[in-house]
Amino acid sequence: MIDFHTHPVLIREFVEKYPNYERSARQVFNIGNNFQPLETFFLQMDVAGIEKAVLLPIDCKRARKDAVSSNEQVAELCARSERFIGFASVDPLKKGAARELENAIKKLGLRGLKLDPALQDFRPDAQKVYPVYEAAEALKVPLLIHTGMSWAPETPLERGLPLHLEQPIRDFPKLKFVLAHFGWPWVWEATALALKYPNVYLDTSCLYYDGPKEFYQFVFSKQIPTTVIERSLRNKVVFGSNYPRVEIKNMVHALKNLQLTEGCLHKILKENAERLLGIVNSEL
Amino acid sequence: MIIKLERIKVQTRKSEEAIDITSKVDEVVQKSGVKNGVVNVMTSHTSSGLLVTEGIPCLEEDILTHFSRLFPEDEDYHHRRYLDYDGRLGFNADAHLKSILGGISCMFPIENGKVVRGSRQTIYFMEYDGPLERTYMVQVLGE
């Protein structure tokens, strides 16, 4: 099983090594949990039955003074364990961002692009961003982009509107867009984009109130019917936990608690992510 | 009067487990040089615990099983909400309640440099919300 959405923001080993790491976790990302040794990350994966996790940095230096993990830190963690799959993040409004992405993919060995319009402070449909989309498309790496509500401070909700992505989705049909957090609360908009466009995927890393089981039960059976996932989006949804904002095991349990068939669950927890990441080479 | 405080880290490896820390406590007492006094042991966390019982696996299992029966994970807890000071959701009320029920500390007398315990008494660090690296405190007071 693969967790497509984790943030390496509480790694104890990085606190002393990188001077701004703690400030970034506390003030930019806004998380108050204790820093933990890297071993805890693996144990959290183990108890959830997760084999591999996608690590996501966010290059928000321009907008927030510090990055939430850097590409180099992510690459360092990936070098320590094959269980990690690292994504890169670049500031799309920065000159040379496309080249920076190319270097991160080709030289650091990262395998996807992460963007967060709210935390990085840009409009995802702005023409200035297009060179980064072009680069990701040319490099054949997926883009995981924040949609929906963000818990990070000073992040306007409006930046998370899934429909802001419609034009880029249309303009870059070969770039795979993974809309994070299922676009919550705009779940129908995100769902519509995934239904309409072949290059749109959704990750399940949404939890905004109640507990994981209650929240998933509401979103995936009341906000949208479970059958939309089971019948229409079974090849386009990937499991994401948003660890460490939530423990991976709780999100896995919540997903398995839905009325989805074993076959559909297997796709969400493994197959779809493997295809997106190029671990298996098959197009649908 | 000697007062010594030691913070000891323990890496828990499961969602819930009972870890025998008796020998660690004995070690701290021996190192302290205190011949007569008391030793206090306390967890630093509110979703883990510290308790004393007979050190056998069946009881370890019973404690965890029946605490879970009393405080099921899926109960209707008010704690299931966004905690702005933590930047995350709180959905581990069951772990907090188990910690309260089982207790968070224990105390033993020290006599002639040794912890005075009943022959069946074992000190356990209780994980209710792991796996995590945890800290417990051992404070020795005496002379």
Side-chain angles (χ1 to χ4, degrees):
Chain A
M1 298 199 292
I2 296 172
D3 186 340
F4 214 86
H5 196 129
T6 73
H7 294 281
V9 291
L10 292 179
I11 309 295
R12 161 89 50 73
E13 289 86 338
F14 280 0
V15 176
E16 284 186 9
K17 189 169 180 183
Y18 298 104
N20 293 343
Y21 187 77
E22 184 168 3
R23 178 198 171 272
S24 161
R26 301 295 187 227
Q27 292 178 33
V28 183
F29 192 72
N30 182 34
I31 191 156
N33 289 54
N34 290 335
F35 290 96
Q36 288 283 322
L38 185 56
E39 187 180 10
T40 297
F41 202 132
F42 295 124
L43 290 165
Q44 290 281 346
M45 291 167 68
D46 290 344
V47 296
I50 292 291
E51 304 152 61
K52 292 176 187 284
V54 170
L55 304 181
L56 303 171
I58 305 169
D59 182 354
C60 50
K61 289 192 286 288
R62 171 183 48 82
R64 300 287 186 269
K65 198 174 156 194
D66 284 317
V68 176
S69 310
S70 67
N71 295 341
E72 289 73 19
Q73 288 166 357
V74 167
E76 186 179 331
L77 291 169
C78 292
R80 291 198 195 188
S81 172
E82 289 182 353
R83 296 184 73 183
F84 289 144
I85 297 163
F87 273 34
S89 185
V90 296
D91 179 354
L93 301 189
K94 189 175 149 193
K95 199 177 168 189
R99 173 61 62 86
E100 199 180 323
L101 174 63
E102 191 180 344
N103 285 340
I105 303 298
K106 291 185 174 170
K107 293 185 179 161
L108 295 178
L110 301 179
R111 294 161 69 177
L113 169 63
K114 160 70 177 176
L115 294 176
D116 184 334
L119 203 46
Q120 294 180 286
D121 193 19
F122 70 90
R123 273 191 67 104
D125 53 357
Q127 284 294 319
K128 284 181 180 174
V129 180
Y130 272 40
V132 170
Y133 295 142
E134 276 169 24
E137 190 178 58
L139 290 161
K140 296 180 179 167
V141 293
L143 161 63
L144 178 69
I145 186 158
H146 177 93
T147 57
M149 182 170 151
S150 169
W151 288 122
E154 298 170 49
T155 49
L157 272 167
E158 180 269 340
R159 283 289 158 87
L161 285 172
L163 286 181
H164 283 333
L165 286 166
E166 186 170 23
Q167 199 54 50
I169 286 165
R170 292 163 63 95
D171 291 338
F172 298 93
K174 289 184 181 165
L175 173 59
K176 292 183 168 70
F177 289 77
V178 184
L179 311 192
H181 315 299
F182 229 92
W184 194 93
W186 300 287
V187 176
W188 264 124
E189 286 84 340
T191 299
L193 288 169
L195 287 168
K196 184 174 171 70
Y197 298 106
N199 56 330
V200 175
Y201 296 75
L202 303 166
D203 95 27
T204 65
S205 64
C206 54
L207 177 64
Y208 291 91
Y209 52 80
D210 295 339
K213 280 186 185 170
E214 289 167 295
F215 190 83
Y216 268 27
Q217 200 63 44
F218 181 76
V219 172
F220 300 123
S221 72
K222 304 280 196 305
Q223 263 192 287
I224 59 167
T226 315
T227 48
V228 175
I229 299 174
E230 178 69 41
R231 296 170 187 164
S232 299
L233 295 178
R234 59 198 281 120
N235 295 312
K236 306 192 82 181
V237 175
V238 291
F239 169 74
S241 68
N242 207 13
Y243 178 76
R245 284 211 198 275
V246 52
E247 279 67 39
I248 306 169
K249 63 183 178 182
N250 298 86
M251 298 299 264
V252 170
H253 294 162
L255 184 73
K256 288 183 173 176
N257 192 48
L258 295 172
Q259 299 299 307
L260 293 166
T261 59
E262 281 300 314
C264 185
L265 278 174
H266 188 68
K267 283 174 179 287
I268 293 170
L269 284 161
K270 191 172 170 77
E271 279 179 35
N272 297 339
E274 286 181 338
R275 212 171 54 251
L276 272 168
L277 294 164
I279 294 172
V280 290
N281 241 343
S282 65
E283 286 296 326
L284 290 169
Chain B
M1 176 82 159
I2 301 169
I3 303 176
K4 290 210 169 154
L5 174 65
E6 199 159 319
R7 293 171 180 83
I8 300 176
K9 290 190 188 305
V10 55
Q11 175 72 57
T12 66
R13 314 191 76 80
K14 299 175 184 172
S15 295
E16 296 191 322
E17 63 181 315
I19 298 170
D20 181 352
I21 58 166
T22 314
S23 60
K24 292 275 183 193
V25 175
D26 287 346
E27 222 173 88
V28 175
V29 170
Q30 275 165 19
K31 271 194 333 195
S32 73
V34 168
K35 296 297 173 198
N36 292 291
V38 290
V39 56
N40 286 302
V41 191
M42 181 182 275
T43 176
S44 301
H45 313 277
T46 57
S47 58
S48 66
L50 222 299
L51 57 77
V52 177
T53 190
E54 187 171 354
I56 44 178
C58 55
L59 273 176
E60 294 171 4
E61 203 175 322
D62 280 339
I63 294 164
L64 294 172
T65 302
H66 291 279
F67 277 15
S68 292
R69 183 175 56 78
L70 289 166
F71 302 117
E73 190 189 318
D74 294 331
E75 197 52 65
D76 184 15
Y77 300 111
H78 285 289
H79 188 51
R80 287 187 170 172
R81 65 180 184 90
Y82 178 63
L83 308 171
D84 54 358
Y85 56 89
D86 255 352
R88 53 165 291 153
L89 276 294
F91 45 80
N92 60 347
D94 57 320
H96 289 298
L97 295 173
K98 288 168 189 170
S99 168
I100 292 164
L101 181 69
I104 59 163
S105 65
C106 68
M107 185 183 82
F108 284 96
I110 299 165
E111 186 180 51
N112 299 324
K114 289 192 172 172
V115 180
V116 183
R117 270 192 318 275
S119 63
R120 304 285 175 100
Q121 287 183 314
T122 299
I123 308 169
Y124 282 104
F125 180 88
M126 302 299 294
E127 177 60 84
Y128 302 121
D129 193 23
L132 286 169
E133 185 192 77
R134 301 291 207 169
T135 306
Y136 61 91
M137 297 169 283
V138 182
Q139 187 173 47
V140 187
L141 299 94
E143 33 186 47

